[in-house]
Amino acid sequence: MYSTLYSFSSLYAAALLMLCGTGLFNTFMGLRLTAQSVSAFWVGLLIAGYYLGLVCGARLGHKLLIRVGHIRAFVACAAVSATMVLAQASFEVLPLWLLLRLIAGIAMVTQFMVLESWLNEQTENHLRGRVFSVYMLVSGLGTVLGQLSLTMYGSLDLRPLTLVAIFQVLCLVPIALTARTHPATPVPAPLDIKFFARRVPLSLTVLFMAGNLSGAFYGLVPVYAARHGMSTTQVAVFMAASVTAGLLSQFPMGWLSDRINRARLIRCNSLILAVFTALMWGWTDWPYWLMLLLACLFGILQFTLYPLGAAFANDHVEAEKRVGLSAILLMAYGIGACIGPLIAGALMSWAGPNMYYVFVSACAVVLVWRVRPARVTGEHQVEAAPVHFVPMPDTLQSSPAAVATLDPRVDPAVDQTLEMVEPDAAAATQPARAEGSADASGATATGPETGVVTGTVAAPDPAAGEGARPPSL
């Protein structure tokens, strides 16, 4: 087990550095724009633009992976991400920032696709859950460290953006220096949206509302905290405390959800979230230590909604349909992450920073109203229910093409709708091989432009051995 995790150290290091940059940037942007008296709506719009790039860029990233392979795609997109950050440091024009954030989202979703599909392809099925759990922990740790790194700066100048760009450039190093050849690219099955809308409507509601909350959190909580008089250091700690609490609560909440009714647990958590966030509506000025405690409770309740909703959905969908289900759930979450910052930002611009937590309470009330155990008939519940809870990232740091197969609940050996597409050898020339070594594959296969597999993948050369995998990192 430890040797397997160590073999992925390059991928984990790249993910850590990427998330350090993202965590620092989101908090800094909210604080910087607030200090310049920019409306909260514009802050929410910039966050929504980034998430829109993450959701819509998966198709473009998939084409790029097939054309040039994993390593080249990662290097190119990391360079684009760093360039977008440096461009923001050079031109403080909000409409231009919006375009730059959209491009950065498109580039970064390709980076996440590279890391996640790489982990998925080169992990045995019985280890996939543990490998993914470490990836989730590393992602959360990077977000926390990025936010805490903001405490090194006494003023809100543009120096933090330089550090963000440094993180984006450094994440190239472990990928560019790895001796491992890139793997095949996973392609999701066709998506039957109408089927899943009928089968798991409550889960889609949970994922959509969780996306609203997470999308608004990273850009607008710094605005709320700054307008309540917190210093830059206090805001960074406030954000980091919430994310850390959500990260550490994943496993206890998973243990609980595997043993009690998940619909009741989601509703109970939503009710607690609605009540406790009402304390932060601005009725009174709370001491900083109490605000930290409330932020931790908020993180526990918010950042476990996504995995709880995903586990609840998997309880009611057969194993052979879970690849498509994972992609649909992520789409619902991503759409929510685009809409949430816009609504919360508009409310804060209209009626003040306290409207952020009014928005959170409203989202929680919607979940209490919609996710009623009486509406769960159990008609389509699978025999394996409750399906084992799986910790998942909370910041949409993933891609529809990768998460659908990375999910440990999905077994590619069973789900026959999953195929692997080899990178186009005509566009991505493989490194020279040692003299006398056997060629692993002499055929190429390219995916259709729609992102849905319609053909078959060429079989590997027998000389390479069936199911042969590249060497360890």
Side-chain angles (χ1 to χ4, degrees):
M1 174 60 192
Y2 294 107
S3 61
T4 300
L5 296 178
Y6 179 76
S7 70
F8 291 125
S9 58
S10 295
L11 304 184
Y12 291 146
L16 179 68
L17 292 167
M18 286 175 58
L19 270 298
C20 281
T22 301
L24 170 59
F25 181 88
N26 288 334
T27 303
F28 166 78
M29 184 175 66
L31 292 175
R32 170 80 177 181
L33 295 180
T34 301
Q36 295 178 330
S37 300
V38 176
S39 70
F41 176 75
W42 261 106
V43 178
L45 187 62
L46 291 171
I47 293 293
Y50 172 72
Y51 282 120
L52 180 64
L54 284 177
V55 174
C56 299
R59 179 179 177 184
L60 180 62
H62 168 255
K63 292 181 179 179
L64 184 62
L65 282 177
I66 292 180
R67 179 174 176 81
V68 302
H70 285 62
I71 295 177
R72 291 179 178 178
F74 187 93
V75 170
C77 290
V80 170
S81 299
T83 302
M84 295 303 101
V85 173
L86 292 175
Q88 286 186 252
S90 302
F91 307 100
E92 291 193 82
V93 180
L94 289 181
L96 178 60
W97 274 30
L98 180 59
L99 176 62
L100 296 176
R101 292 311 294 158
L102 177 66
I103 297 174
I106 294 173
M108 290 198 69
V109 75
T110 304
Q111 293 177 258
F112 289 120
M113 288 177 68
V114 169
L115 296 178
E116 294 170 10
S117 61
W118 202 328
L119 285 169
N120 177 66
E121 167 63 12
Q122 299 184 0
T123 301
E124 300 296 334
N125 288 334
H126 68 284
L127 294 176
R128 186 170 283 109
R130 279 170 283 185
V131 169
F132 185 49
S133 296
V134 174
Y135 173 76
M136 185 273 297
L137 290 172
V138 169
S139 299
L141 178 62
T143 301
V144 172
L145 292 178
Q147 290 163 348
L148 291 179
S149 64
L150 192 59
T151 62
M152 299 186 302
Y153 300 93
S155 60
L156 290 172
D157 52 25
L158 295 176
R159 288 180 299 162
L161 289 183
T162 303
L163 182 58
V164 174
I166 289 174
F167 281 131
Q168 291 295 331
V169 172
L170 285 179
C171 75
L172 288 167
V173 177
I175 299 297
L177 294 183
T178 181
R180 196 171 205 164
T181 57
H182 51 70
T185 303
V187 179
L191 305 181
D192 190 347
I193 298 178
K194 292 183 179 180
F195 170 82
F196 293 116
R198 293 192 302 266
R199 177 66 67 87
V200 289
L202 295 183
S203 296
L204 292 176
T205 300
V206 173
L207 271 292
F208 176 75
M209 300 311 298
N212 274 266
L213 294 173
S214 290
F217 172 81
Y218 288 97
L220 296 175
V221 167
V223 177
Y224 170 89
R227 292 186 178 176
H228 277 269
M230 294 187 194
S231 66
T232 300
T233 298
Q234 288 177 323
V235 173
V237 173
F238 184 76
M239 294 283 293
S242 187
V243 175
T244 302
L247 184 67
L248 296 178
S249 64
Q250 293 276 335
F251 295 98
M253 190 66 72
W255 180 89
L256 187 63
S257 77
D258 288 341
R259 289 161 176 78
I260 66 175
N261 185 285
R262 280 179 175 148
R264 293 183 186 277
L265 181 60
I266 293 172
R267 196 179 193 216
C268 179
N269 286 5
S270 301
L271 180 61
I272 297 173
L273 182 62
V275 171
F276 275 87
T277 51
L279 298 175
M280 304 178 77
W281 286 6
W283 307 111
T284 184
D285 292 330
W286 301 107
Y288 181 66
W289 66 267
L290 182 57
M291 295 281 282
L292 283 180
L293 290 179
L294 291 174
C296 290
L297 180 60
F298 173 75
I300 292 172
L301 297 173
Q302 171 184 315
F303 294 136
T304 54
L305 278 177
Y306 181 93
L308 282 175
F312 183 53
N314 278 270
D315 287 341
H316 296 83
V317 171
E318 295 78 9
E320 63 271 13
K321 295 184 180 293
R322 286 179 186 158
V323 169
L325 173 65
S326 296
I328 288 292
L329 293 179
L330 189 66
M331 289 173 59
Y333 183 77
I335 293 172
C338 295
I339 295 175
L342 296 177
I343 297 176
L347 291 174
M348 294 172 72
S349 296
W350 168 60
N354 293 326
M355 290 303 294
Y356 170 76
Y357 281 104
V358 175
F359 168 76
V360 172
S361 295
C363 291
V365 168
V366 170
L367 289 178
V368 173
W369 167 58
R370 292 289 296 170
V371 187
R372 299 191 298 273
R375 301 186 63 192
V376 183
T377 63
E379 178 183 357
H380 301 291
Q381 185 166 297
V382 297
E383 294 182 1
V387 176
H388 184 63
F389 177 96
V390 178
M392 293 186 178
D394 60 276
T395 59
L396 200 66
Q397 311 298 11
S398 48
S399 60
V403 166
T405 54
L406 183 60
D407 189 338
R409 288 175 290 247
V410 180
D411 185 354
V414 175
D415 195 332
Q416 299 302 318
T417 61
L418 177 67
E419 297 185 33
M420 296 293 175
V421 178
E422 294 290 349
D424 187 353
T429 305
Q430 296 295 329
R433 300 178 179 275
E435 185 176 355
S437 60
D439 186 9
S441 176
T444 62
T446 56
E449 292 187 357
T450 59
V452 177
V453 174
T454 57
T456 58
V457 179
D461 191 292
E466 183 178 0
R469 295 180 179 272
S472 299
L473 285 173

